[in-house]
Structure formats: C-alpha cells, structure tokens
Amino acid sequence: MKNITLNSVCTIFFVLFVSACSKSHEYKVDSTFSDYLKRFENEAAARGRSLNPEQDGLIIEFGTLKDSAAGLTHYETPVRIEIDKTYWDAISKTAGADMMKEDLLFHELGHALLGRKHLNTTLENGDWKSMMCGGEKVNNRSWNINYRGERRKYYIDELFNEGTSAPAFASNTLAVDTLGFKPLIQRNFDSESQAIWSIGDKSQYSITLDNGRLRFQSKIDQTYMVFAKLVSPISISSDFAFEFTLQYPTGSTSNQYGMVFGAIPTTVDSTEYFTINNNQKMFLGNRSWYSFYTELTKSSITSGGVNKMKIFRIGTMLYYFINNVYCYQSEIFASSNIGQFGFMVPPRGTVWIDNLLISQKTSAAVNSKVKQEIQIVTGVEPVSGFNQNKIYNQ
C-alpha cells in the first residue's frame, strides 16, 4: 500500500478546484439561440451595459417544460436557460416567429443576465408595461405582448432600465386626425338590396334580414369569416376606415367575434382581425401569427349587446374604436392592397350586423353614384384555425 503525501493531496485538491471553477464558467449555447444572444449583447452595449457571457458562463438549451412554460431560467452556476422545444417549433411555423423568439429569449436573459424579476403592471392603454411579465396569472389574462414596430424599442429600453418613461403609444388620447374620410360602401340592411350577401338558408349557415339587421347563423363547429370583396381594392398606401355594429347575445362569453379585413387574393397572412368577447376582452392580430398580438380589458364593450366596432388605417397604423371610444393603436401587418372587409362568427354562433360603412380618405368627394357602381363579390369561408392561441408562460 502506497503512502499519500501532502503534496499529492494538494495536487488533487488543486485539480478539483480548477475543474469546479471551469464548470462555473461553462459556456454552452445551442446554435439556434446564438443570434438572439448576440442581439441581446448589442442592445445592452447600445445602452452602456457590458456583458460577457462567454467569459462569465451561460447555458441555453432546449428542454421539455411543464405547465405551459415557454422558457425557464435556473439560477445555477453558471445560470442555465431552458426553452421548450415543442413551443419553439410551433411558433417557428408562423409569421412573426422571429419577434416572438426574440421576446422569449430576451425575457429569459433579463432574468439570467440582468437580474430582472417578473413585472405584471400595465400601461395606460392596457398593454403590459414590461416584457418581463409572467409567472402567476393576473386576472387570468394571457401573457401575449404586442412586441412589434414602435413597441419593440420601448420594451427593450424598459428591459435594461425599469424606470423608462411611458411611451406615447400607451396614451388613451387619440393623437391623429380622423376627419376627411369619404364613404365607398354603406349598408343599413333595411332591405334585400342592402344585404350585400345572398339571403338564404344553407346546410352550413343561414343569412336573413331581421328587423333591419343582417343575421348570420352558423351551423358548424368552425369559425366563419364572412367577406365583402371589392373588385377594385383600396391601395395599401391609402388611408381607409371600416365600421359596423355587431351583436352576439348568446353562446360562451369567451367566444371571439368581430371584424376581419385584408388583401385579395385571400391568403392566411393577408387577414387582419379585431375581435371582442362578452367578457369585455378585446383582441387584435393577423391570421398568419401564432397568436393574437395582445388581449385587453375594455369597459366600453357592451357584453351581449350591440357594439360599434371601427378601425382607421392612417399611415402605417391602425386605430381601434369600440362604441366610439378610442382603444388602441398598432401597425398594420398586411402589405398588399386591401379589398376584403367583413366579420367573424364563432362556431355555431349567431350574430347580427348593421350600419356597415367602408370609407377612404381622399381629396375628391365620392358621390352616391360612384358608391353604387363599386363592384362587390361576397365570400363566406369556414376556417379551421384562427390562431387565437395564448403564448406560453415565460
């Protein structure tokens, strides 16, 4: 049996110590996430923050997470981030995937590298105040965050500086002029000539006139998009407005119903939507995205009653109104000429429509004769999925 000298013990201890230190600074980032980490470091540097995860240690890897979690930060040495593979693959198949992935990675890196905790307060307009929202549910609200356009810069500013001032887009005061829009199509549904869509009872739905309103009843377990298609669409560079009154008095209070509009020809990415439910929730988005952009509570919604829904497209922005109350603004996603205007009906739902008006901002008055000559083709389309997903918890 050999004697173990003091020098041998010291050597073993030193090797173990060096090995432990090496592990504490381990850097292992799946290549899928490298670009998002680099973006994060660049955004930090632009705000005077120096980060060196390659030296300090960081692990980002795929995992299988529970409880509808999209990402999870483990405060180990080094810190370790897990991203749910199933969720990542699901959003990868949709438009907006890049921004959704950036939002997810920046959120987890906010925990891991900035020491940020969850922050579940809201801005004046109802948007989440921070991209660090998450954790315990707040009034059962989804964590969907409208991480696009002008909002992206604000959310990144706030991520690195929690004291960032509230942005202009969060104000409930309308900051644009909505005058000067001339009617293109106007219907009050007092007679069959005003109906736009063909009156009749079909196997999957029925359309009738009911006391001066258009009544659409779905008989199937799919969402319906009911469109009026302009043969000569509105130029994508033109400002326009779209409005109608809508009622969905029965059915689940969580069912979404409301406004759809978009480009011709019909493609998934061409359809914008603005919907509400009878829990006084408002949603907006584009069908090509994995989920709606955001969910807001709006007291201006009359649950089960008649609601006037209206949007103005001015410049690159859409401005949303419910019962003449300004509610929100956000960038339009559709990039082609807008020629489809209509409404969305929940599965096996019945809605009533009235006072439909499509307007365009123009210097020349659009007289009644021109309005009557505008050619319209109608469409009634069942859709199996409307991408009304809630994003996973972060």
Side-chain angles (χ1 to χ4, degrees), residues 137-148:
K137 283 280 190 179
V138 179
N139 299 323
N140 201 37
R141 178 179 172 177
S142 66
W143 300 118
N144 294 49
I145 184 170
N146 192 0
Y147 187 71
R148 309 179 305 127

Side-chain angles (χ1 to χ4, degrees), residues 45-65:
R47 292 162 177 82
R49 300 286 293 269
S50 178
L51 301 173
N52 193 347
E54 291 190 23
Q55 177 179 304
D56 298 335
L58 176 67
I59 297 173
I60 310 178
E61 59 191 7
F62 281 117
T64 302
L65 303 180

Side-chain angles (χ1 to χ4, degrees), residues 349-366:
T350 302
V351 300
W352 281 261
I353 302 288
D354 200 7
N355 301 315
L356 184 147
L357 176 62
I358 302 169
S359 305
Q360 185 174 5
K361 194 164 191 177
T362 176
S363 57
V366 182

Side-chain angles (χ1 to χ4, degrees), residues 7 24 47 52 55 60 73 80 82 94 113 123 163 166 194 196 249 258 264 282 297 333 337 339 341 375 381 387:
N7 284 341
S24 70
R47 292 162 177 82
N52 193 347
Q55 177 179 304
I60 310 178
T73 298
R80 180 169 63 93
E82 277 188 290
T94 62
L113 302 184
L123 296 169
Q194 287 279 313
I196 300 180
I264 295 177
M282 165 186 163
T297 298
F333 186 74
N337 293 342
F341 297 87
Q375 292 182 299
E381 179 185 355
N387 290 8

Side-chain angles (χ1 to χ4, degrees), residues 64-72 83-84 87 104 392-394:
T64 302
L65 303 180
K66 299 178 181 180
D67 302 321
S68 296
L72 187 62
I83 301 297
D84 186 76
Y87 178 71
L104 171 56
Y392 282 19
N393 197 359
Q394 301 177 160

Side-chain angles (χ1 to χ4, degrees), residues 64 69 79 86 94 100 112 131 168 174 190 210 214 225 233 245 253 274 297 313 330 345 349:
T64 302
V79 68
T86 300
T94 62
M100 292 186 69
M131 69 191 307
L174 182 66
D190 287 337
D210 183 9
L214 184 83
M225 293 197 302
T245 59
T253 57
F274 166 29
T297 298
R313 184 275 173 84
S330 185
V345 184

Side-chain angles (χ1 to χ4, degrees), residues 17 35 61 75 104 120 141 146 150 170 228 276 309 322 365:
F17 176 77
D35 179 59
E61 59 191 7
Y75 294 99
L104 171 56
N120 294 331
R141 178 179 172 177
N146 192 0
E150 64 181 357
I276 59 177
M309 303 183 69
I322 300 174

Side-chain angles (χ1 to χ4, degrees), residues 65-279:
L65 303 180
K66 299 178 181 180
D67 302 321
S68 296
L72 187 62
T73 298
H74 301 271
Y75 294 99
E76 302 168 347
T77 305
V79 68
R80 180 169 63 93
I81 295 171
E82 277 188 290
I83 301 297
D84 186 76
K85 186 66 163 61
T86 300
Y87 178 71
W88 187 272
D89 289 345
I91 64 176
S92 295
K93 300 172 185 176
T94 62
D98 183 56
M99 285 295 95
M100 292 186 69
K101 291 174 179 179
E102 182 180 280
D103 173 34
L104 171 56
L105 264 298
F106 278 26
H107 176 104
E108 297 305 331
L109 289 166
H111 288 313
L113 302 184
L114 304 180
R116 289 290 304 264
K117 299 184 183 300
H118 286 139
L119 178 61
N120 294 331
T121 54
T122 58
L123 296 169
E124 180 184 346
N125 68 344
D127 269 328
W128 288 115
K129 180 181 185 294
S130 174
M131 69 191 307
M132 294 307 299
C133 61
E136 294 295 322
K137 283 280 190 179
V138 179
N139 299 323
N140 201 37
R141 178 179 172 177
S142 66
W143 300 118
N144 294 49
I145 184 170
N146 192 0
Y147 187 71
R148 309 179 305 127
E150 64 181 357
R151 284 170 170 78
R152 178 181 179 270
K153 182 181 184 304
Y154 161 74
Y155 280 121
I156 296 176
D157 284 344
E158 194 281 336
L159 177 64
F160 289 96
N161 177 11
E162 196 171 335
T164 298
S165 299
F169 67 74
S171 173
N172 282 329
T173 301
L174 182 66
V176 295
D177 180 10
T178 58
L179 300 177
F181 286 80
K182 306 299 182 181
L184 290 177
I185 297 173
Q186 191 166 13
R187 295 290 189 273
N188 55 26
F189 303 105
D190 287 337
S191 64
E192 194 164 335
S193 64
Q194 287 279 313
I196 300 180
W197 295 274
S198 298
I199 303 301
D201 188 7
K202 300 185 181 298
S203 60
Q204 295 187 322
Y205 65 88
S206 67
I207 301 177
T208 57
L209 294 180
D210 183 9
N211 293 320
R213 296 191 295 173
L214 184 83
R215 178 181 181 271
F216 186 101
Q217 179 185 4
S218 169
K219 303 177 183 179
I220 62 174
D221 295 321
Q222 292 175 273
T223 298
Y224 263 116
M225 293 197 302
V226 185
F227 274 117
K229 304 180 182 182
L230 308 185
V231 173
S232 298
I234 296 173
S235 169
I236 190 62
S237 62
S238 296
D239 294 343
F240 64 85
F242 179 35
E243 66 181 83
F244 53 62
T245 59
L246 177 67
Q247 184 176 17
Y248 174 64
T250 60
S252 172
T253 57
S254 64
N255 281 347
Q256 293 182 37
Y257 58 99
M259 177 178 288
V260 288
F261 54 97
I264 295 177
T266 304
T267 57
V268 171
D269 63 346
S270 70
T271 307
E272 306 274 345
Y273 61 88
F274 166 29
T275 59
I276 59 177
N277 69 22
N278 287 336
N279 287 325

